Structures are given as structure tokens and as C-alpha cells.
């Protein structure tokens, strides 16, 4: 149901999820999890730390995504109008 919602509503998500990362952090502190591991096992391995402290604002990310999409659609529409 979650993936259906994401696709239907064009919710952006991190493509690293498709590569086995279940919890995504900084490049130097994250690895894909292995079968049977907790989803956060790939974060800060060998450290007591569990968070980097930097978090993106979802609503700002969503607004930027929608703006890019609108611009791409406008550019495509303009190209189609020019060709016709």
C-alpha cells in the first residue's frame, strides 16, 4: 500500500532504498543492511551514534519536486507547441 501511494501521488523517495538501504544517512556512515538485520543496522556501524543531526524538511523537498515537475511539463508543452 505504501509503494502504491508513493507512485500514485508522485512522492519523492531516495533511490538508495532500491539498492538495499533501509535507513539512509550520510555516505560515510551508511551501508545497505543484510538479510535479517534491523533496518537501522546499516547506520553508524561500530558507533554509539544513531543520527547525523541533519534532516531535510519534507515539505520543502516536496515543493521543490513539484516546481521541477511543473517546469519540465511546461518545457515539454512548449516543445510540442513549437513542433506543431
Amino acid at each position: 500500500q505504501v509503494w502504491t501511494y508513493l507512485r500514485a501521488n508522485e512522492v519523492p523517495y531516495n533511490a538508495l532504498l532500491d539498492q538495499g538501504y533501509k535507513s539512509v544517512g550520510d555516505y560515510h556512515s551508511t551501508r545497505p543492511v543484510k538479510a535479517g538485520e534491523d533496518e537501522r543496522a546499516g547506520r553508524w556501524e561500530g558507533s554509539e551514534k544513531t543520527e547525523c543531526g541533519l534532516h531535510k524538511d519534507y515539505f520543502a523537498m516536496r515543493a521543490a519536486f513539484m516546481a521541477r515537475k511543473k517546469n519540465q511539463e511546461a518545457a515539454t508543452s512548449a516543445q510540442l507547441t513549437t513542433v506543431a
Side-chain angles (χ1 to χ4, degrees):
Q1 290 176 340
V2 172
W3 286 110
T4 300
Y5 179 88
L6 291 175
R7 289 183 185 107
N9 294 283
E10 298 179 344
V11 176
Y13 75 98
N14 194 316
L16 289 174
L17 295 170
D18 298 334
Q19 298 175 32
Y21 292 81
K22 301 300 179 199
S23 178
V24 180
D26 298 333
Y27 76 92
H28 64 279
S29 63
T30 306
R31 65 162 175 79
V33 297
K34 298 173 186 149
E37 286 186 316
D38 179 85
E39 68 180 26
R40 295 195 48 86
R43 298 289 301 278
W44 296 100
E45 188 174 41
S47 172
E48 291 182 28
K49 192 171 184 176
T50 59
E51 292 293 337
C52 67
L54 299 174
H55 301 281
K56 290 273 189 177
D57 177 11
Y58 168 77
F59 296 105
M61 288 173 44
R62 176 74 175 160
F65 169 78
M66 295 306 289
R68 282 192 309 274
K69 181 179 175 189
K70 184 177 179 180
N71 289 340
Q72 289 171 345
E73 289 171 350
T76 300
S77 178
Q79 289 175 348
L80 292 175
T81 303
T82 303
V83 173

